[in-house]
Amino acid sequence: MVFDEDLAQRVRQLMKRRKGFSERKMFGGICFMLHGNMCCGVIRDRLMLRLGEKRAQKALQEPATREMDFTGKPLKSMIYVEQPGYASAEDLKYWINQAVKFAQSLPAKD
């Protein structure tokens, strides 16, 4: 597993106080879950977000974002945010809150 440990720790700090939080190694990185649903993660130095199709399409209009294409085929409900898009604490919190909002809309799996 190769992922930016500093970024993972920043995300962990924003996520760990949330009810239903857990971590799992996935996609060659680390994934943060809420009630068993994938929420966000870190793959190499990229922030990975699960936003749902509508929010993901809208988010792709923002700078430093791109489709998540882990399998070679874009995943319509997920995006990557490159380092300039999450550099500030405020930007990282914004993105994490977007993913949390989507994960909380899903039925719990745990």
Side-chain angles (χ1 to χ4, degrees):
M1 301 283 164
V2 178
F3 58 89
D4 182 327
E5 194 58 57
D6 290 336
L7 175 57
Q9 186 57 28
R10 290 175 63 202
V11 174
R12 189 177 289 115
Q13 290 301 313
L14 292 170
M15 293 290 297
K16 71 180 185 180
R17 61 183 164 74
R18 297 178 189 277
K19 189 176 178 187
F21 168 76
S22 63
E23 295 182 27
R24 185 176 298 165
K25 291 184 177 177
M26 294 177 96
F27 301 115
I30 189 162
C31 186
F32 300 99
M33 321 278 281
L34 286 178
H35 297 288
N37 291 300
M38 188 171 18
C39 179
C40 57
V42 178
I43 299 175
R44 293 188 206 118
D45 64 344
R46 292 176 293 221
L47 179 63
M48 174 190 69
L49 302 168
R50 182 178 184 196
L51 302 175
E53 272 191 60
K54 286 183 181 181
R55 283 190 184 128
Q57 289 305 308
K58 185 175 179 182
L60 288 171
Q61 297 171 21
E62 298 291 326
T65 62
R66 68 181 183 92
E67 290 179 317
M68 183 177 172
D69 57 358
F70 181 77
T71 62
K73 179 180 175 189
L75 301 171
K76 295 180 186 218
S77 66
M78 300 179 75
I79 67 165
Y80 286 132
V81 180
E82 303 290 343
Q83 198 277 333
Y86 64 76
S88 76
E90 185 177 300
D91 287 341
L92 181 63
K93 187 175 182 179
Y94 167 80
W95 285 119
I96 297 303
N97 285 340
Q98 294 300 307
V100 165
K101 192 180 299 182
F102 180 72
Q104 289 176 334
S105 75
L106 302 170
K109 291 183 178 178
D110 55 7

